[in-house]
Amino acid sequence: MNNIIEINNLNKFYGDLHAVKDLSFCVKQGELFAFLGINGAGKSTTISIMCGTLSKNSGDVIIDGYNIENNLSEISKEIGVVFQNSVLDSSLSVRNNLYSRASLYGIYGQEATKRIETLSEILDFKNLLDRTVGKLSGGQRRRIDVARALIHNPKILVLDEPTTGLDPQTRKTLWKVIEDCRKNEKMTVFLTTHYMEEVVDADYVVILDDGKIVAEGTPLQLKNSYAGDYITVYGVELEKIEKLGFKYEKIRDAYRVEVENPKVARDLIIKYPEIFVDFEITKGKMDDVFLTVTGKKLVGGN
Amino acid sequence: MKTFIAITKRNIQLFFKDKGMFFSALITPIILLVLYTTFLGNVYHDSFVSALPEGFSISEKIINGTVGGQLCSSLLAVCCVTVAFCSNLLMVQDKTSGARKDFLVTPVKKSILSLSYYFASLITTLIISYIAVAASFIYIAFTGWFFTFGDCLLLLLDVFLVTMFGTAISSIINVFLSTNGQASAVGTIVSAGYGFICGAYMPISSFGSGLQKVLSFLPGTYGTSLIRNHSLKGVFRAMGKEGIPEEIVSSIKKSIDCNLSFFEKDVSIAGMYIILISSILILIGIYVLINLVKKGRE
């Protein structure tokens, strides 16, 4: 797969504050790329630079082969953005909002009508087309935000914490649409989120802290490198668990023993078959990865 | 062009949908109309009668026509500018709501965006200004009508030009505002102050000579004078027909800013048009230039 986004040695200063520090990473075409970090880590600054709404101090940003320095207009045609907060006109109808936004990409008349019709079917908001955006619920509004970002059929969809505050059903619907777009249109999705369960499905994850990359890789690589495994043991006494000599945690009807990797787990089970009668092995979570590499907890996730 | 029309349409729709913005734009002309008809009208009437030389008598219709023309021209001169500031608030609201950010991630040119704000604001301000013109005509029809069809057309042209001027000024100022608080502070200052500096509340001729010289540098002064000239043209004709000497008519004209001078040199009506149109073109140029230089990037 080709790189659709290439960022090399990107730096951004706000006065004395060095917000983005020599950032370099690539995003492959068609992949779900997750960008993780607490508030102020530099995620939104990087996204704003990629979208051309913020200037950089140094470094290269190349999107779909175009350098942002000279080809911002071309890049804008290829990027759709779902912002953290809805930026649609709350006193206009959904239809009028989408028509006005479509015109910004040179989509008018029949072509715009057809595109809005298609998106309303995909995102299931046909019955909302003539409703005022300000009167929609959070979930309904978010669907319209996604429709607005997809209005020009972009190659890259940037999602800046798109599902924060949404109910599980709406999150599921949104992710289904985004997944469909990825598969059918080979769309690249650039995601920042607070929900770790959304990151688990990512193809590649970059964790940002204080403006620089502190870890990157596939979710599996990150879990293997930065989070241990867990053996949950059922129907066993405390003394036996203590005998193992590993860190453990008492949960409702079992003990969860923390081990470094699957090999240690396997050796332990072979060594103490009388203790491991009823058990399960689980991989560490992305929350653990995040905590290990940044020393911070990502607030807002599940 | 289609993009420009679509964004302009969106801006106009938002203005009329946003009741706060729409009513705050209407408030200035309504307050002025009430103020003039209930209070200032009598003041103007009395000062005009007392200013007439002894032994002169003018028909009550002419006096009322003069006062009515003076009131309405003042109202229109202020309305064209203050309403422009209110209708141009959308530019600031788009920054606070994030819509501006949404526009900047698209391939649309910054010059098209800035001109669409200008034209949308111009159209909405013109709609309200022409409603104010209609209200003024109705008021004058009851007090003393001396307008010819040509006077009406010239007045409409003046209102158009002063609105273009007001919209250009408000566009340049609003481009630097980023919060609703800043916008309402500027709106309040303009609503309170513009009427004084353009000679709408009090004739510039009643100010000290130093201040008169300073105000003669402001293009809005000539816009007010044009509106006043064409609002009162018919009345002055009628005065002439009633046998009032030209010198007296001329001194009345001077006292209510129909005749303006720039450093002792009289400015003709054509000169006023040239000043106003040139300043509109320069201001629009500056506005577009600011937007291009700002580039929407920090």
Side-chain angles (χ1 to χ4, degrees):
Chain A
M1 280 192 291
N2 298 328
N3 289 333
I4 195 158
I5 301 173
E6 285 179 37
I7 292 185
N8 299 311
N9 309 107
L10 182 67
N11 282 286
K12 173 69 187 175
F13 290 87
Y14 292 110
D16 291 336
L17 179 73
H18 197 171
V20 174
K21 298 171 182 167
D22 217 28
L23 205 65
S24 298
F25 64 87
C26 295
V27 180
K28 293 195 184 304
Q29 189 163 17
E31 78 178 1
L32 170 57
F33 180 93
F35 212 37
L36 278 184
I38 58 163
N39 290 336
K43 306 185 301 284
S44 293
T45 300
T46 308
I47 289 178
S48 300
I49 293 171
M50 279 166 50
C51 296
T53 57
L54 199 63
S55 63
K56 58 187 168 60
N57 290 100
S58 64
D60 286 322
V61 177
I62 296 160
I63 294 174
D64 198 26
Y66 297 109
N67 193 315
I68 202 152
E69 207 61 50
N70 332 304
N71 300 93
L72 186 57
S73 174
E74 290 304 316
I75 290 171
S76 307
K77 290 175 193 164
E78 308 300 352
I79 296 185
V81 188
V82 177
F83 293 97
Q84 275 180 28
N85 301 311
S86 181
V87 291
L88 293 173
D89 302 316
S90 51
S91 49
L92 295 187
S93 70
V94 170
R95 195 188 298 276
N96 283 341
N97 262 291
L98 293 177
Y99 269 119
S100 70
R101 296 310 198 263
S103 73
L104 300 170
Y105 296 92
I107 305 168
Y108 317 100
Q110 282 299 312
E111 195 187 350
T113 309
K114 208 174 155 191
R115 184 68 186 146
I116 293 167
E117 196 74 15
T118 309
L119 287 169
S120 68
E121 278 166 20
I122 297 171
L123 281 153
D124 190 25
F125 64 84
K126 233 174 173 180
N127 56 333
L128 303 177
L129 275 170
D130 293 312
R131 294 261 301 273
T132 307
V133 166
K135 289 180 180 161
L136 300 180
S137 71
Q140 290 171 331
R141 208 165 163 151
R142 219 54 183 143
R143 273 188 275 161
I144 312 306
D145 289 334
V146 174
R148 181 262 167 269
L150 296 174
I151 195 88
H152 56 298
N153 214 355
K155 283 186 185 170
I156 303 165
L157 180 64
V158 176
L159 302 165
D160 196 1
E161 295 176 21
T163 53
T164 304
L166 295 186
D167 60 87
Q169 185 56 43
T170 311
R171 277 164 60 191
K172 211 173 154 186
T173 311
L174 280 187
W175 273 110
K176 194 187 170 310
V177 172
I178 292 164
E179 276 306 302
D180 288 347
C181 286
R182 277 186 63 211
K183 282 176 193 154
N184 303 335
E185 317 277 341
K186 297 225 182 316
M187 188 185 284
T188 307
V189 178
F190 189 104
L191 166 77
T192 75
T193 180
H194 281 161
Y195 293 104
M196 287 298 178
E197 67 201 53
E198 292 173 351
V199 176
V200 170
D201 297 327
D203 296 304
Y204 201 79
V205 181
V206 163
I207 300 178
L208 214 57
D209 190 34
D210 194 25
K212 56 183 186 293
I213 294 175
V214 287
E216 61 180 307
T218 65
L220 184 66
Q221 284 168 345
L222 289 172
K223 283 181 197 174
N224 285 340
S225 305
Y226 299 103
D229 289 347
Y230 296 95
I231 315 172
T232 308
V233 193
Y234 300 94
V236 67
E237 296 83 35
L238 177 63
E239 303 84 66
K240 287 182 178 170
I241 292 294
E242 281 179 337
K243 199 175 101 182
L244 296 173
F246 281 84
K247 199 175 160 192
Y248 67 91
E249 183 191 357
K250 169 93 176 85
I251 54 174
R252 187 181 279 263
D253 51 359
Y255 291 95
R256 190 155 58 197
V257 181
E258 198 178 324
V259 292
E260 284 167 30
N261 52 50
K263 185 181 176 302
V264 176
R266 191 189 61 202
D267 293 346
L268 209 58
I269 292 162
I270 292 169
K271 193 174 174 187
Y272 301 102
E274 72 283 4
I275 297 176
F276 296 98
V277 176
D278 186 5
F279 67 92
E280 61 183 333
I281 302 176
T282 49
K283 282 249 164 248
K285 292 178 180 172
M286 285 301 292
D287 298 74
D288 303 319
V289 173
F290 192 81
L291 188 63
T292 307
V293 295
T294 65
K296 294 159 192 165
K297 263 199 132 159
L298 203 51
V299 182
N302 284 353
Chain B
M1 191 63 185
K2 278 183 175 176
T3 304
F4 168 75
I5 292 168
I7 309 170
T8 306
K9 190 180 156 193
R10 171 251 178 203
N11 294 349
I12 294 170
Q13 278 177 332
L14 276 174
F15 176 80
F16 287 106
K17 290 267 181 184
D18 186 333
K19 290 179 182 63
M21 202 149 54
F22 179 62
F23 285 113
S24 64
L26 281 177
I27 255 175
T28 308
I30 289 170
I31 288 176
L32 286 174
L33 195 64
V34 171
L35 189 69
Y36 284 149
T37 51
T38 58
F39 169 69
L40 278 178
N42 294 334
V43 174
Y44 281 4
H45 183 278
D46 295 346
S47 67
F48 181 71
V49 172
S50 64
L52 284 173
E54 252 183 65
F56 266 93
S57 68
I58 301 179
S59 74
E60 194 62 21
K61 194 184 170 192
I62 289 183
I63 294 172
N64 287 338
T66 311
V67 171
Q70 204 180 342
L71 295 180
C72 292
S73 58
S74 298
L75 182 143
L76 293 173
V78 175
C79 176
C80 294
V81 175
T82 56
V83 172
F85 269 87
C86 289
S87 63
N88 231 337
L89 280 181
L90 181 67
M91 200 191 288
V92 184
Q93 281 185 2
D94 276 354
K95 285 181 196 167
T96 56
S97 72
R100 174 85 182 169
K101 196 166 61 173
D102 198 23
F103 292 157
L104 292 178
V105 299
T106 69
V108 72
K109 284 183 181 156
K110 312 298 178 289
S111 53
I112 290 181
L113 272 182
S114 50
L115 283 176
S116 71
Y117 282 120
Y118 178 82
F119 277 95
S121 184
L122 176 67
I123 290 167
T124 50
T125 309
L126 277 175
I127 290 170
I128 293 176
S129 297
Y130 282 135
I131 290 172
V133 171
S136 299
F137 280 157
I138 293 167
Y139 175 71
I140 292 170
F142 281 104
T143 55
W145 181 270
F146 292 95
F147 279 85
T148 62
F149 181 65
D151 296 338
C152 291
L153 287 182
L154 284 170
L155 182 63
L156 292 177
L157 172 69
D158 300 338
V159 167
F160 181 77
L161 291 175
V162 177
T163 303
M164 281 189 89
F165 169 76
T167 310
I169 286 269
S170 66
S171 300
I172 290 176
I173 292 174
N174 284 3
V175 111
F176 295 104
L177 308 180
S178 52
T179 66
N180 288 331
Q182 291 171 345
S184 46
V186 168
T188 309
I189 292 166
V190 170
S191 301
Y194 183 74
F196 283 105
I197 61 168
C198 76
Y201 296 154
M202 287 170 71
I204 288 170
S205 61
S206 63
F207 295 153
S209 64
L211 189 56
Q212 281 188 38
K213 281 196 171 71
V214 172
L215 296 179
S216 68
F217 280 96
L218 304 180
T221 307
Y222 302 98
T224 308
S225 184
L226 280 171
I227 293 177
R228 191 150 286 171
N229 265 296
H230 294 129
S231 298
L232 292 162
K233 205 175 171 187
V235 181
F236 294 138
R237 265 196 311 266
M239 284 181 184
K241 277 183 195 162
E242 276 217 356
I244 298 170
E246 183 56 37
E247 306 84 64
I248 291 175
V249 175
S250 182
S251 90
I252 293 170
K253 281 183 176 180
K254 186 95 183 161
S255 70
I256 54 174
D257 296 342
C258 286
N259 290 343
L260 285 179
S261 51
F262 185 78
F263 284 87
E264 315 306 331
K265 200 175 174 202
D266 285 345
V267 181
S268 65
I269 295 287
M272 290 181 193
Y273 275 122
I274 290 168
I275 292 169
L276 194 58
I277 291 169
S278 311
S279 58
I280 291 166
L281 293 174
I282 292 168
L283 289 171
I284 293 175
I286 292 172
Y287 168 61
V288 173
L289 208 63
I290 290 170
N291 275 281
L292 288 177
V293 171
K294 275 188 86 175
K295 280 184 173 175
R297 292 219 240 165
E298 291 162 35

